[in-house]
């Protein structure tokens, strides 16, 4: 088997070593090798015939042009001493060669050696992505776009230089370089810009980092600060813009980043018709800036927790993307709780204020530092955070988000709401007076919810935090005002009504705990009035034979024990309540079938809300009240009669109402007959 030879690269010029038989070895085969000088050949023969050496030898495995392998001695390349002559040139164009392929140029850069130019660049260009002008050494990589964007500022910087001075000469050299490097780009982009157009190739020329970008999002006008840009190839080519805007993350006002794209296009497009463009190219930049700043002020006012009404499209973030919902009703704007309960969709901002500036952020209602141990007895029902945020400047207001995050009580979902679709909550605290309920019951309810909503009454269980809630059970037949009671209490307290049912909670014990805890958490955070409608399934008496029901009841009991808010439970079957619930109910309210006087008042309440009005005398109300229908049916009758009157082009009157009442009563009689018939069959069959 052939033996390995070693040779000195500096002696042989990198040629393959030669065996004593005139062949070079590749370990298996032999190949022809160039002739070696006698001294080297003698040296190699001596090594080959000598003893094994106790040395570590560095060798290179190389290949001929035909791909055959041979070995040569590794020789470190000696770097000669150099004189730093290149630093005496104001500018140096440096080609960076690939370390493993000297023929390949990795990049080309412009090295700034002139101290005059370093000072000018430092004073002229505060920041540009990918380049630092505050360091001792300044190097700008090709394609030198920063010099294109700031060419006019650099020209202006030399206006005060003395002609012929070293600084003027160095700056002139740089300006000449810019003109030569970007000659074609300047000519073509200026020509297009004069016509309000731009080509995709030269699109980057109008996007100077740091400028204000106008780019609508979800149809809403938006403004951003441009951070950087880059062309993207592939299946969806375009110019990607890294932009910055102002947002609120629940704790701080600050900046966030996002990407906007201008898709590739052929020919030339009008600049103000692109999906994103510098705001000065807008057809009315002053007006749009004023509108964005005004919207920013409204947006700023919603930092924190706020109850509002919302009408319009809202956006929901899901694992599958963004869903759109058309929602109408009360909402709470609360970014902090949104992020706490939906951590996968949370974001953070780069705050405008440092953490040291916000040490006094958490305050209790007395203005003292919040301490859980000292203030348990004196704090409000739910501690609130007083956000100490500096007012935004007009420049910051211009860049604010067009949306806020919160929860819709109508949809029971977390959404992003458009700020322009929010309006004041429009509380109606006087609606409690219109509630048709016995005076004694109304007085108890009003007193309890008033004291509970304002502050803690100072009475607690033996275990702190236990039994602080206010639980009211409303039981009776349907349509007699149970749900309306909860709604009017919420209006009276100026708190939203969070209404859930057994369908929202589920009837599986494994999921009930987490769902119920989450709902009570949100209701406590917002001090919302919580209504659990048709709660019988969670309140029924436990037994030895239904372990699943026992689990539901036990979970419900445990969670409610530590709830601190106002809770309404509606039920039609109080006789089946578990005994443990009886001691936990603060106010049980029984609702009976409506009396004639109650129905009369309900008719007056509903008809009195009609904008177009309806003329019915006292006798007419007496006659309407004779119909044995409940409050919900009365509301449905009025809605149907109103539609009937509009169809015929007439005003709503008593005759239209009685026409619909007759239809309702016939349906009730038919339904009662079927129910009685079914009951009789069941008795006979039994």
């Amino acid at each position: 088997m052939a033996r390995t030879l070693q040779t000195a690269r500096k002696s042989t010029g990198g040629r393959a070593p030669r065996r004593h038989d005139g062949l070079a070895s590749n370990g298996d085969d032999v190949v022809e090798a160039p002739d070696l000088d006698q001294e080297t050949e003698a040296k190699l023969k001596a090594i080959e015939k000598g003893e094994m050496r106790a040395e570590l030898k560095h060798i290179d495995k190389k290949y001929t042009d035909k791909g055959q392998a041979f070995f040569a001695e590794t020789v470190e390349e000696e770097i000669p001493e150099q004189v730093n002559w290149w630093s005496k040139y104001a500018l140096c164009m440096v080609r960076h060669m690939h370390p493993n392929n000297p023929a390949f140029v990795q990049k080309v850069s412009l090295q700034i050696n002139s101290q005059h130019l370093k000072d000018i660049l430092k004073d002229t260009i505060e920041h540009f992505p990918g380049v630092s002008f505050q360091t001792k050494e300044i190097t700008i990589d090709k394609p030198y776009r920063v010099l294109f964007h700031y060419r006019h500022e650099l020209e202006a910087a030399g206006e005060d230089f003395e002609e012929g001075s070293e600084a003027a000469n160095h700056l002139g050299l740089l300006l000449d370089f810019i003109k030569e490097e970007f000659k074609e780009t300047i000519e073509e982009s200026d020509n297009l810009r004069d016509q309000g157009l731009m080509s995709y190739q030269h699109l980057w020329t109008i996007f100077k980092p740091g400028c204000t970008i106008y780019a609508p999002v979800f149809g809403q006008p938006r403004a951003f600060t441009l951070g950087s840009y880059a062309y993207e190839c592939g299946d969806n080519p375009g110019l990607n813009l890294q932009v910055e805007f102002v947002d609120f993350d629940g704790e701080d006002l600050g900046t966030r980043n996002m990407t906007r794209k201008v898709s590739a296009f052929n020919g030339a497009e009008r600049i103000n018709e692109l999906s994103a463009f510098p705001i000065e190219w807008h057809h009315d930049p002053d007006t749009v800036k004023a509108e964005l700043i005004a919207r920013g002020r409204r947006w700023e006012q919603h930092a924190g927790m706020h109850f509002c009404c919302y009408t319009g499209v809202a956006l929901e973030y899901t694992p599958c993307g963004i869903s759109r919902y058309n929602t109408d009703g009360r909402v709470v704007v609360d970014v902090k709780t949104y992020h706490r309960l939906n951590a996968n969709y949370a974001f953070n901002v780069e705050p405008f204020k440092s953490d040291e500036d916000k040490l006094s952020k958490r305050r209790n209602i007395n203005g003292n530092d919040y301490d859980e141990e000292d203030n348990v007895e004196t704090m409000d029902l739910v501690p609130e955070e007083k956000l100490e945020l500096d007012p935004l400047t007009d420049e910051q207001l211009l860049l604010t988000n067009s949306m806020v995050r919160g929860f819709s009580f109508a949809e029971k979902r977390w959404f992003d709401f458009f700020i322009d679709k929010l309006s004041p909550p429009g509380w109606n605290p006087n609606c409690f007076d219109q509630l048709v309920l016995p005076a004694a019951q109304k007085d108890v309810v009003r007193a309890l919810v008033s004291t509970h909503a304002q502050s803690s009454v100072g009475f607690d269980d033996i275990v702190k935090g236990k039994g602080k809630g206010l639980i009211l059970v409303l039981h009776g037949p349907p349509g007699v005002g149970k749900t309306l009671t909860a709604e009017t209490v919420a209006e009276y307290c100026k708190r939203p009504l969070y209404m859930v049912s057994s369908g929202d909670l589920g009837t599986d014990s494994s999921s009930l705990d987490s769902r119920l805890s989450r709902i009570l958490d949100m209701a406590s955070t917002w001090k919302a009035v919580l209504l659990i409608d048709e709660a019988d399934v969670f309140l029924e008496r436990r037994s030895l034979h239904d372990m699943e029901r026992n689990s539901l009841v036990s979970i419900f009991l445990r969670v409610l024990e530590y709830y601190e808010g106002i809770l309404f439970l509606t039920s039609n079957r109080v006789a089946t309540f578990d005994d443990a619930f009886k001691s936990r109910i603060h106010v049980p309210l029984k609702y009976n079938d409506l009396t004639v006087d109650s129905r009369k008042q309900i008719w007056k309440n509903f008809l009195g809300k009609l904008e177009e009005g309806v003329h019915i005398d006292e006798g007419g109300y007496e006659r309407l009240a004779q119909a044995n229908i409940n409050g919900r049916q009365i509301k449905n009758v009025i809605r149907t009669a109103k539609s009937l009157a509009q169809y015929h082009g007439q005003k709503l009157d008593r005759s239209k109402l009685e026409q619909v009442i007759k239809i309702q009563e016939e349906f009730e009689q038919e339904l009662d007959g079927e129910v009685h018939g079914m009951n009789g069959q069941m008795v006979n069959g039994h």
Side-chain angles (χ1 to χ4, degrees):
M1 186 173 183
R3 290 173 293 175
T4 301
L5 300 180
Q6 302 177 28
T7 184
R9 182 176 178 182
K10 61 184 178 182
S11 303
T12 65
R15 295 174 296 175
R18 181 175 177 142
R19 288 168 47 101
H20 63 278
D21 54 2
L23 299 176
S25 170
N26 63 3
D28 297 308
D29 302 320
V30 292
V31 296
E32 293 185 3
D35 293 334
L36 301 175
D37 59 77
Q38 292 182 354
E39 182 180 352
T40 301
E41 188 173 9
K43 177 183 176 182
L44 296 177
K45 286 183 178 180
I47 295 175
E48 183 181 29
K49 294 179 180 179
E51 299 293 333
M52 178 69 67
R53 300 188 179 192
E55 298 178 13
L56 172 64
K57 189 64 176 176
H58 294 272
I59 61 175
D60 295 334
K61 186 175 183 180
K62 299 184 177 181
Y63 296 87
T64 67
D65 292 341
K66 296 181 179 180
Q68 294 174 308
F70 65 91
F71 295 92
E73 183 181 22
T74 300
V75 178
E76 293 292 335
E77 186 175 358
E78 295 183 4
I79 301 177
E81 287 191 19
Q82 300 187 64
V83 178
N84 187 3
W85 50 268
W86 58 87
S87 63
K88 292 300 181 180
Y89 291 85
L91 298 175
C92 284
M93 182 78 70
V94 183
R95 295 193 308 162
H96 299 263
M97 317 307 292
H98 195 283
N100 298 324
N101 185 1
F104 178 72
V105 180
Q106 282 187 306
K107 67 176 181 177
V108 179
S109 61
L110 183 67
Q111 182 174 311
I112 311 296
N113 293 328
S114 167
Q115 189 60 45
H116 296 296
L117 293 179
K118 290 180 180 179
D119 294 339
I120 293 171
L121 291 169
K122 183 184 300 183
D123 295 338
T124 304
I125 308 173
E126 181 177 352
H127 172 75
F128 195 88
V131 186
S132 174
F133 296 100
Q134 310 302 318
T135 56
K136 182 178 179 181
E137 301 295 332
I138 298 178
T139 300
I140 305 173
D141 293 339
K142 195 173 184 177
Y144 325 115
R145 286 174 175 166
V146 61
L147 299 178
F148 173 89
H149 288 301
Y150 284 89
R151 66 189 188 280
H152 299 304
E153 289 85 347
L154 292 173
E155 289 176 359
E159 292 178 352
D160 297 333
F161 290 166
E162 183 180 349
E163 186 176 355
S165 65
E166 186 178 61
N169 291 336
H170 289 184
L171 180 58
L173 176 66
L174 180 61
L175 294 175
D176 289 342
F177 170 81
I178 296 174
K179 291 176 182 177
E180 181 64 27
E181 183 71 23
F182 295 103
K183 180 180 179 181
E184 182 181 339
T185 300
I186 293 174
E187 291 177 356
E188 294 187 12
S189 62
D190 285 352
N191 179 49
L192 290 168
R193 192 181 293 108
D194 291 342
Q195 305 173 65
L197 304 172
M198 190 51 61
S199 65
Y200 179 66
Q201 177 187 357
H202 297 106
L203 187 58
W204 64 272
T205 62
I206 65 173
F207 288 106
K208 182 179 180 179
C211 72
T212 301
I213 299 297
Y214 179 83
V217 179
F218 296 117
Q220 297 290 310
R222 291 286 300 277
F224 304 90
T225 296
L226 177 63
S228 63
Y229 57 79
Y231 280 99
E232 179 183 356
C233 302
D235 296 334
N236 186 22
L239 184 66
N240 279 337
L241 308 176
Q242 293 295 327
V243 296
E244 186 178 86
F245 64 100
V246 175
D247 211 337
F248 177 67
D249 64 4
E251 295 282 352
D252 303 292
L253 287 167
T255 57
R256 289 175 60 197
N257 296 319
M258 68 180 297
T259 301
R260 304 294 296 162
K261 173 181 278 191
V262 181
S263 299
F265 54 87
N266 296 321
E269 294 282 352
R270 300 205 66 82
I271 295 176
N272 60 9
E273 293 179 358
L274 298 172
S275 59
F277 55 87
I279 199 167
E280 61 266 19
W281 286 97
H282 194 278
H283 67 275
D284 191 356
D286 293 335
T287 299
V288 74
K289 285 182 180 179
E291 292 174 349
L292 290 174
I293 291 173
R295 187 185 68 187
R297 288 195 178 95
R298 296 194 300 273
W299 178 90
E300 182 184 21
Q301 293 169 0
H302 287 83
M305 184 194 303
H306 301 274
F307 300 111
C308 308
C309 278
Y310 187 84
T311 302
V313 175
L315 307 181
E316 180 188 30
Y317 287 87
T318 67
C320 300
I322 299 177
S323 300
R324 291 169 172 81
Y325 286 83
N326 195 3
T327 184
D328 184 5
R330 294 264 171 78
V331 301
V332 56
V333 175
D334 186 0
V335 181
K336 183 175 182 178
T337 305
Y338 183 113
H339 288 179
R340 179 168 62 84
L341 298 179
N342 303 275
N344 289 337
Y345 304 105
F347 61 78
N348 294 104
V349 300
E350 185 67 29
F352 293 132
K353 297 175 64 177
S354 64
D355 291 337
E356 289 77 14
D357 295 331
K358 298 181 298 170
L359 291 176
S360 60
K361 185 174 181 180
R362 283 183 64 89
R363 305 282 182 176
N364 65 9
I365 57 176
N366 297 319
N368 301 320
D369 290 340
Y370 175 78
D371 184 272
E372 186 174 0
E373 293 292 334
D374 298 335
N375 294 298
V376 168
E377 297 295 338
T378 60
M379 67 180 181
D380 203 350
L381 178 64
V382 179
E384 293 185 353
E385 290 190 355
K386 181 181 177 182
L387 297 177
E388 296 184 353
L389 303 173
D390 287 341
L392 297 178
T393 64
D394 284 355
E395 292 77 11
Q396 293 167 339
L397 292 171
L398 178 68
L399 305 175
T400 56
N401 199 341
S402 64
M403 294 179 287
V404 291
R405 291 188 154 182
F407 184 80
S408 168
F409 293 100
E411 302 291 340
K412 301 183 182 67
R413 295 176 182 271
W414 293 96
F415 289 130
D416 276 20
F417 302 111
F418 292 104
I419 195 71
D420 288 338
K421 302 297 183 181
L422 290 170
S423 59
W427 305 111
N428 180 17
N430 298 322
C431 69
F432 195 85
D433 297 331
Q434 299 177 356
L435 179 64
V436 178
L437 197 67
Q441 292 186 351
K442 288 180 65 173
D443 187 55
V444 171
V445 173
R446 191 196 302 266
L448 284 173
V449 299
S450 296
T451 56
H452 193 278
Q454 292 173 4
S455 63
S456 175
V457 295
F459 183 79
D460 202 358
D461 205 310
I462 297 175
V463 178
K464 285 190 178 296
K466 182 179 178 183
K468 284 188 174 183
L470 176 60
I471 301 177
L472 301 92
V473 172
L474 314 179
H475 59 99
V480 294
K482 299 191 297 296
T483 302
L484 183 61
T485 300
E487 292 173 343
T488 54
V489 165
E491 292 292 321
Y492 177 73
C493 298
K494 296 185 178 181
R495 288 289 164 178
L497 176 66
Y498 190 0
M499 186 185 305
V500 297
S501 64
S502 58
D504 299 312
L505 295 172
T507 56
D508 178 35
S509 59
S510 60
S511 60
L512 174 64
D513 197 350
S514 61
R515 290 185 181 181
L516 183 59
S517 298
R518 184 182 177 93
I519 289 173
L520 296 181
D521 180 357
M522 292 187 290
S524 295
T525 301
W526 303 321
K527 295 184 184 177
V529 174
L530 180 59
L531 170 63
I532 301 180
D533 203 15
E534 304 296 336
D536 306 271
V537 66
F538 306 113
L539 306 176
E540 287 188 3
R541 188 177 295 109
R542 286 169 286 188
S543 69
L544 298 176
H545 309 290
D546 193 341
M547 301 306 295
E548 182 67 18
R549 178 178 297 280
N550 293 351
S551 298
L552 293 176
V553 175
S554 299
I555 292 171
F556 209 75
L557 282 168
R558 174 176 54 80
V559 175
L560 292 187
E561 189 72 26
Y562 291 89
Y563 179 57
E564 298 184 359
I566 300 175
L567 171 63
F568 285 90
L569 302 171
T570 67
S571 172
N572 297 325
R573 301 192 301 271
V574 294
T576 64
F577 276 18
D578 191 272
D579 291 339
F581 278 107
K582 296 178 181 179
S583 60
R584 287 171 170 81
I585 298 171
H586 298 92
V587 183
L589 296 179
K590 176 174 174 53
Y591 289 73
N592 298 311
D593 289 329
L594 296 176
T595 63
V596 173
D597 290 339
S598 297
R599 289 195 293 268
K600 179 180 176 181
Q601 185 60 47
I602 293 173
W603 278 107
K604 288 184 177 181
N605 290 341
F606 280 129
L607 291 174
K609 294 180 181 179
L610 297 180
E611 295 181 359
E612 61 274 17
V614 58
H615 179 69
I616 298 179
D617 57 16
E618 194 67 21
Y621 281 116
E622 288 284 353
R623 183 166 178 176
L624 291 173
Q626 299 303 316
N628 187 19
I629 55 178
N630 61 43
R632 188 174 291 110
Q633 291 169 327
I634 292 175
K635 182 173 66 174
N636 294 336
V637 166
I638 294 174
R639 181 183 291 116
T640 305
K642 183 180 177 182
S643 299
L644 183 63
Q646 289 177 345
Y647 176 77
H648 290 290
Q650 301 172 348
K651 288 187 177 182
L652 179 63
D653 55 16
R654 195 185 75 188
S655 62
K656 297 288 189 304
L657 295 171
E658 290 177 341
Q659 180 180 349
V660 179
I661 290 174
K662 183 177 180 181
I663 297 173
Q664 180 69 37
E665 288 179 331
E666 289 176 352
F667 172 74
E668 292 289 337
Q669 293 172 1
E670 185 72 19
L671 184 62
D672 289 343
E674 291 184 3
V675 171
H676 292 321
M678 292 176 60
N679 291 338
Q681 292 178 6
M682 292 175 62
V683 171
N684 294 333
H686 181 73

